[in-house]
Amino acid sequence: MPSARRRYPSLAGDILAAIAAGGALGAVARYAVASWDGLTRAVDVGWGGVSDAVLIVNAVGSFLMGLLVCFVVRRPAHRLLRPFLGTGFLGGFTTFSTFAYDTRALWTSGESLAAASYLVLTPVTAIGACWLGVQAMHRILGWPLPREDEAGDLPTPAEEGTA
C-alpha cells in the first residue's frame, strides 16, 4: 500500500503545520468576534437565539478569501501563504458547520421562516462578499479584471514560489 506522502505529495509537513497554525489562530479569532458583546447586540435580527455573529464572520471571512485568492493567483507568493491564510486561518475563522447547525436549530424549533431566510442569506452573503473581495483587490492594486479566457485553477503551493 503506497504511503500517504506518495499518494498526496502536497501533504508536506511544513504545509500541514502552516494549516494547523492558521486554523488555530482563525478559530480563536472567530471565537473572539462571536463573543464580542457589542457586535452581537448591534446585529441582532431576532433569529430565535441563533448567533447573528456567525453570518458576519462568514461574510468577513469570505471577503478576505476573495482578497487572498485574487492576490495569490496574480502574484508569486510564499508557498505557505495560501495554506496558512486560506485553508488554515480563514478555514478556522469561517464556520459553515455552525451555520448548518443553527439553520437546523431554527427549523426544529418551529422558526421555519427564519431558518429559510438564514439558509438563503448566508451563502448569498458569503459569495457576494468573496466577489467584493476580488473586486476590491483588483482596484487596490490597480489590476485589470481578468478576461474569462484567463480564468483557471489556483496555483499549487509549489507553483506559488518558494520565497
Side-chain angles (χ1 to χ4, degrees):
M1 179 166 195
S3 71
R5 171 144 309 195
R6 191 169 289 139
R7 285 185 297 167
Y8 304 104
S10 64
L11 291 180
D14 58 343
I15 293 174
L16 291 176
I19 291 168
L25 292 173
V28 169
R30 174 181 10 120
Y31 178 79
V33 169
S35 299
W36 183 23
D37 195 40
L39 175 68
T40 55
R41 278 185 281 146
V43 296
D44 182 15
V45 295
W47 278 338
V50 168
S51 174
D52 306 316
V54 170
L55 179 63
I56 290 173
V57 162
N58 287 338
V60 169
S62 296
F63 177 80
L64 294 173
M65 184 60 78
L67 292 174
L68 176 68
V69 167
C70 183
F71 185 80
V72 300
V73 165
R74 300 289 295 264
R75 289 260 204 223
H78 191 281
R79 69 185 200 88
L80 297 179
L81 180 70
R82 187 168 37 113
F84 176 78
L85 289 177
T87 306
F89 184 83
L90 294 175
F93 182 69
T94 57
T95 174
F96 286 91
S97 59
T98 301
F99 148 70
Y101 177 83
D102 288 348
T103 302
R104 182 180 178 278
L106 285 170
W107 185 264
T108 58
S109 69
E111 301 273 348
S112 55
L113 182 58
S117 299
Y118 194 57
L119 184 65
V120 171
L121 186 61
T122 297
V124 167
T125 302
I127 291 168
C130 186
W131 180 84
L132 285 173
V134 169
Q135 301 298 312
M137 182 57 81
H138 278 282
R139 285 178 180 45
I140 289 167
L141 298 176
W143 295 339
L145 291 171
R147 297 183 318 267
E148 188 172 328
D149 63 336
E150 294 176 322
D153 294 331
L154 286 174
T156 65
E159 294 169 339
E160 287 180 14
T162 56

